[in-house]
Amino acid sequence: MLVILHTNCTTAECDAVEDCIRRMGFNPLPVPGSNRTAICITGNRGPVDAALLARLPGVMECIPVTKKYKLVSREVHPLDTIVRIGDVQIGGPVPVVIAGPCSVETEARTLAIAHAVQAAGATMFRAGAFKPRTDPYAFQGLGREALVALRRVREVTGLPVVSEVVDAESIEAMLDVVDVLQVGTRNMQNYALLKQLGQVRKPVLLKRGMAASLDEWLMAAEYLLAGGNDQVILCERGVRTFSTHSRNTLDINVVPVVKKLSHLPVLVDPSHGIGHRNFVRAIARASFAAGCHGVLIEAHTDPATSYTDADQTIDVPTLAGVVRDRDLLLQLEAT
Amino acid sequence: MLVILHTNCTTAECDAVEDCIRRMGFNPLPVPGSNRTAICITGNRGPVDAALLARLPGVMECIPVTKKYKLVSREVHPLDTIVRIGDVQIGGPVPVVIAGPCSVETEARTLAIAHAVQAAGATMFRAGAFKPRTDPYAFQGLGREALVALRRVREVTGLPVVSEVVDAESIEAMLDVVDVLQVGTRNMQNYALLKQLGQVRKPVLLKRGMAASLDEWLMAAEYLLAGGNDQVILCERGVRTFSTHSRNTLDINVVPVVKKLSHLPVLVDPSHGIGHRNFVRAIARASFAAGCHGVLIEAHTDPATSYTDADQTIDVPTLAGVVRDRDLLLQLEAT
Amino acid sequence: MLVILHTNCTTAECDAVEDCIRRMGFNPLPVPGSNRTAICITGNRGPVDAALLARLPGVMECIPVTKKYKLVSREVHPLDTIVRIGDVQIGGPVPVVIAGPCSVETEARTLAIAHAVQAAGATMFRAGAFKPRTDPYAFQGLGREALVALRRVREVTGLPVVSEVVDAESIEAMLDVVDVLQVGTRNMQNYALLKQLGQVRKPVLLKRGMAASLDEWLMAAEYLLAGGNDQVILCERGVRTFSTHSRNTLDINVVPVVKKLSHLPVLVDPSHGIGHRNFVRAIARASFAAGCHGVLIEAHTDPATSYTDADQTIDVPTLAGVVRDRDLLLQLEAT
Amino acid sequence: MLVILHTNCTTAECDAVEDCIRRMGFNPLPVPGSNRTAICITGNRGPVDAALLARLPGVMECIPVTKKYKLVSREVHPLDTIVRIGDVQIGGPVPVVIAGPCSVETEARTLAIAHAVQAAGATMFRAGAFKPRTDPYAFQGLGREALVALRRVREVTGLPVVSEVVDAESIEAMLDVVDVLQVGTRNMQNYALLKQLGQVRKPVLLKRGMAASLDEWLMAAEYLLAGGNDQVILCERGVRTFSTHSRNTLDINVVPVVKKLSHLPVLVDPSHGIGHRNFVRAIARASFAAGCHGVLIEAHTDPATSYTDADQTIDVPTLAGVVRDRDLLLQLEAT
């Protein structure tokens, strides 16, 4: 249940509504919005008596929410959320292209790649400082040393930076350097981490878990919004199936379905989605055509020598092709 | 191993090559082509002595084939196969739009739909006469009565017709009426049926099995080509995964991968691929963008009253939108 | 809806019930049983007016059926079905052990294997005459020649024989020689074949499709029962998942669930279920412990030289171990 | 590569071997063992020159390791690991039965359940203090308050206690109270947590991730062993597939395969594995028969009122049945 308040509702009226909800045995959760103020009722298993609330002063209407997720639902927030990072808008009419190497290698190389992807048309930079690796003996990222390189990228190129956060401890250090905190597929249901990130005032890019249902993914996002962080970007990166011709099975269907159910922007990661560099551009193009709000792509000035994910990392000219496809599809829609 | 013959190779030379292959303990399989003649060696488990064959008169070169499938492989047939049905080309530069109801209902209604999808820009008609249904008590298609309606569609509109074949017995009756025989997802590994269809001289549209790996799908196509029918069209229609937000999980990745591995045209069925009519157009657009050779779509003048698959059947204006998307993407590629 | 008739219900009364059902717009399907006669109502989408039927002469009670499948449901047939093949009972208290080579090789070898598996305690013999193979160039079974060998096995050892049927054409030839007709995983949804087998008066062993839901599997069995063949044996053989440490993922869960939902006997095929000979005995033992009515096992006097499925074929001493496990578990239950 | 040292190898010799490995560009990882000392070589991508090492003083032999995981591999540690918790042995000949409620409810109720499961034959107690829940608004466990109850259980009943750890912060508090730290399925690839738990000197029970391949699961265990914690217990709890007749698809195949590849004990969680209380006993019995080292079961004195996972929680008489099945199967093996 969502209780929509009149725009001129007073603080006292708002408090009274919250008190009433508490007396009914539920939890009120204020949902600030640009066009209206609302209070979301959580903690209810059965039906809520809307009539009781509807007659309180300041209440405009009561909207039942049929999904388990509330704050991420379009029922509660009909308009698209646009996440703004400097001049970049994620969730608006122009799909973003976020590109960079899988992991920060050296500062010099990272800067060179950043310049190259910027020249190719990317408007955000991605690179991993902390890498969650299946193999404990494999390269785990440069860690805090990598953050220094990312800070330089931001200073020199002006590109906003996305990087993965793997534990609560490193959040603080990343907040200084990174514009969007990425939660990786293996941590999508690391609820302890999600609770921490709900407290943060930086956008979070939440990748879909390898075998997460759409509901589980949206519920993971709900953890962030329920914690107070409504700057959430979803990112499909392929799911695990029986198929072996690609690294993962990109679930292109999820793009239009998410857009119907949720107001949050949804990106696609074609690099992990298909896992072979020769096919990344075709899949990025398909993702734009399916209506995604942008792509997150592994790109490198010299893909073959990439420390990690070399197979799925594209070169800079291919990235320029991805940007061109995005632009042409935008023109197409304009006609 | 594929033995490529000189264009001026004589019949006697060709026979000598085949004899030599037989003496080596393998089976020679002549592969006629427009640009060259070749003999495919099958039945070998280990390596074949290419040197022995290469020095025979008439032999130009010997190409090792690394995949289990041979005749469907690009190694053996580097150029794209284009299946021609009257004026319609499947596998050429212009993706086809094949549309029609899930099943033939009445002749009048079928004709009305055919006229409507033609006006909307579809260049082929699809409709099921024999319906393989999960439920034995559900409507199983009008059968031979439906074939009469399909014949009328072809006569009146000139649209070529695709329809599903479910057993060996009905092939004969369908050959008269239908331009492309469809093998459904549930029969992809019905090898008895595939062997029969290898003998037929009509194009076959082979849908991917619900849980078929790419190799299994291409091997099923290999049954058709090994039987002598090289007019084969592949069609991705979504695979079965844990996901429940869509009827199937459309494997968009398979499109560029098939195109790399095989010369056969590959279509996408977005209707089964996502299973909800509101999203079919977005998925069709994504399929074109991924590079498919066309789409197979369930469309109806009155989707809600469709006998079968009503949820995923689009109306005619939406189909016109699919055709428009196709045309705009073609322009985009031309620029 | 199932209409149960009094034991002394006359034919005229029975006919009147059927007429009434037809007038209601549905199809009556008589279900003969040893303890009672019943008429199953099919073709209804909405509710059936039970009161109207309950007051007809000869009607004892009307049982609503909540599942899509009816004749395979325990709601309709509360007692376990026991399929009797000579002295062998499938579905009774003693789980059967059906063993033999993947495919019939030579008559001599097939006979030798049959004697060996009989000595090891198997009470039925299995061997493929027609093999559905992924690879069109691979050994496809000896076909009709194999049937001669199977006839000899039956004559000489007295073991009943199970063998796979792959098309309608060969049913006739198999009926003479084979005691149970097996429908393989790839043909579970070959409804044309299922309809033919519904007409046959021989038991059918229906393997679960590679990605078939439980409902789809039971609906495939319903095709057989609706056609009039109630001698149906289900067989779980593993499903397709992302796992690669075994050939298939044996769905052990399905055993107790099937037994709750259906009266049909359910076997397990541990050979395909795990796909590696070293583990077949452990999985067979687990299957007995889960409550299955028997196992279908690939066994050979010399597994390594088996024409097909050599990796998963066990030797005769291991088979004897499987039989011993079965016997000990039976004792365990008796205590 | 694993370098096995002579039992009388000196520290200086051992250091020299480690230095040599470092000079070769790899990392030496000492592996203490009761029967022998060994040094594992990690960080190598290509082959290691064994001859160079084999001739160093103190070296007995060099064993190549073909798997990505090393310390969890049977190649490196041929004998079964037995994890000892007080009198309880996990990994020995007698499978353990670990039982208790999904979550700690009140102290009184938790104690009552502990007494009941002990009386039924369980030798360890399980109950969640911190619950990772898909729904942010759902009951998240009593947290630190629950730890007090668990301490009481241990004091009063003497049963060792297993409970789930969800973040690095709570490890310290749990170490005081809990005998085995459980890592849940959603955190199997939370490598930050695994690294912390590698430093701990308490056994860790590592559940398999919902879509984790066997290799990924063993690599997650490798994180623990590489960190220095070799008291690791694996636990299969079902994987995610297309099947909907059970909550998860229990991968019974994994039990014998893990036992072949690794020396670590492997348990089964039949409660999550099938997800319906009526079938838990059958699946527990199948798991024993497949050779698992024990079961982890949700049991409650009043399952219907369980705060969480009520559907899959068995009552105490059913638990007694599980223990009886275990005992009878043990006798069976003894015969």
Side-chain angles (χ1 to χ4, degrees), chain B residues 208-219:
Chain B
R208 182 176 176 190
M210 224 169 266
S213 71
L214 175 52
D215 272 13
E216 289 169 343
W217 189 21
L218 292 179
M219 291 302 268

Side-chain angles (χ1 to χ4, degrees), chain D residues 309-324:
Chain D
D309 279 352
D311 286 350
Q312 70 193 33
T313 299
I314 60 173
D315 59 18
V316 176
T318 306
L319 179 66
V322 170
V323 173
R324 202 155 50 239

Side-chain angles (χ1 to χ4, degrees), chain B residues 133 137 216 222-223 240, chain C residues 133 137 211 216 222-223 240:
Chain B
R133 302 300 300 277
Y137 310 120
E216 289 169 343
E222 186 82 10
Y223 265 91
R240 181 157 282 183
Chain C
R133 302 300 300 277
Y137 310 119
E216 288 169 343
E222 185 83 10
Y223 265 91
R240 180 157 283 183

Side-chain angles (χ1 to χ4, degrees), chain A:
Chain A
M1 177 74 72
L2 188 75
V3 185
I4 309 291
L5 304 181
H6 284 291
T7 41
N8 57 356
C9 171
T10 66
T11 310
E13 283 169 350
C14 181
D15 288 350
V17 172
E18 293 191 23
D19 280 349
C20 176
I21 292 168
R22 280 192 206 92
R23 280 196 309 275
M24 292 162 94
F26 310 132
N27 307 318
L29 199 75
V31 187
S34 43
N35 298 310
R36 59 180 194 183
T37 300
I39 297 170
C40 181
I41 300 180
T42 67
N44 58 308
R45 296 185 174 222
V48 176
D49 183 357
L52 197 69
L53 290 161
R55 73 174 84 100
L56 290 179
V59 171
M60 196 164 73
E61 60 174 330
C62 292
I63 306 172
V65 183
T66 55
K67 306 290 184 185
K68 268 193 154 185
Y69 41 87
K70 293 164 193 280
L71 305 183
V72 308
S73 162
R74 255 201 207 280
E75 292 178 343
V76 162
H77 188 303
L79 295 179
D80 283 359
T81 284
I82 297 181
V83 176
R84 288 179 171 80
I85 304 132
D87 293 340
V88 178
Q89 296 190 3
I90 303 184
V94 182
V96 291
V97 175
I98 307 174
C102 177
S103 51
V104 173
E105 302 178 359
T106 63
E107 186 178 311
R109 208 168 170 184
T110 305
L111 260 177
I113 297 173
H115 281 299
V117 302
Q118 188 171 35
T123 49
M124 279 184 76
F125 186 68
R126 58 141 294 154
F130 303 94
K131 301 300 302 173
R133 302 299 301 277
T134 306
D135 182 344
Y137 310 121
F139 173 61
Q140 307 264 324
L142 295 179
R144 283 160 198 262
E145 187 187 330
L147 297 182
V148 178
L150 291 178
R151 184 193 297 274
R152 280 287 289 161
V153 164
R154 201 159 59 157
E155 285 168 2
V156 174
T157 64
L159 290 174
V161 165
V162 190
S163 196
E164 182 166 354
V165 55
V166 297
D167 54 25
E169 285 166 39
S170 47
I171 292 177
E172 199 60 34
M174 295 189 80
L175 285 178
D176 266 2
V177 173
V178 159
D179 298 279
V180 176
L181 293 158
Q182 177 180 320
V183 176
T185 193
R186 291 169 184 78
N187 279 315
M188 191 205 84
Q189 291 189 308
N190 178 347
Y191 297 123
L193 183 62
L194 295 181
K195 284 176 190 170
Q196 296 278 347
L197 293 172
Q199 307 300 321
V200 162
R201 291 298 160 267
K202 276 266 164 115
V204 172
L205 188 155
L206 179 67
K207 286 204 163 183
R208 183 176 176 191
M210 225 170 264
S213 70
L214 175 51
D215 272 14
E216 289 168 343
W217 189 21
L218 292 179
M219 290 302 268
E222 186 82 10
Y223 265 90
L224 297 166
L225 275 78
N229 188 347
D230 59 0
Q231 300 297 292
V232 175
I233 305 153
L234 301 168
C235 183
E236 159 69 22
R237 46 76 73 202
V239 292
R240 180 157 283 182
T241 70
F242 63 87
S243 268
T244 54
H245 61 265
S246 52
R247 183 174 173 187
N248 293 292
T249 298
L250 186 87
D251 182 5
I252 194 88
N253 285 346
V254 97
V255 173
V257 180
V258 161
K259 285 174 74 181
K260 184 170 179 225
L261 297 177
S262 177
H263 53 89
L264 297 174
V266 57
L267 306 185
V268 169
D269 172 350
S271 308
H272 286 86
I274 191 159
H276 298 291
R277 94 173 56 120
N278 291 340
F279 306 126
V280 167
R281 184 174 168 187
I283 296 305
R285 192 167 47 222
S287 302
F288 291 132
C292 76
H293 294 105
V295 293
L296 184 73
I297 287 194
E298 292 182 344
H300 199 287
T301 45
D302 185 11
T305 64
S306 179
Y307 282 23
T308 45
D309 281 352
D311 286 351
Q312 69 193 35
T313 299
I314 60 173
D315 58 19
V316 177
T318 306
L319 178 66
V322 169
V323 174
R324 203 157 47 239
D325 289 346
R326 190 262 323 257
D327 292 341
L328 287 167
L329 277 157
L330 270 177
Q331 285 175 30
L332 184 155
E333 270 168 50
T335 51

Side-chain angles (χ1 to χ4, degrees), chain C residues 261-290:
Chain C
L261 297 177
S262 177
H263 53 90
L264 297 175
V266 57
L267 306 185
V268 170
D269 171 351
S271 307
H272 286 86
I274 191 159
H276 298 290
R277 93 174 56 121
N278 291 341
F279 307 125
V280 167
R281 184 175 170 188
I283 295 305
R285 190 166 50 222
S287 302
F288 291 132

Side-chain angles (χ1 to χ4, degrees), chain B residues 92-147:
Chain B
V94 181
V96 292
V97 175
I98 306 174
C102 177
S103 50
V104 173
E105 302 178 358
T106 64
E107 185 178 311
R109 208 167 169 185
T110 305
L111 259 177
I113 297 173
H115 281 299
V117 302
Q118 189 172 35
T123 49
M124 279 184 75
F125 186 68
R126 57 142 293 153
F130 304 94
K131 301 299 303 174
R133 302 300 300 277
T134 306
D135 182 344
Y137 310 120
F139 172 63
Q140 307 264 327
L142 295 179
R144 282 159 198 265
E145 187 187 329
L147 296 182

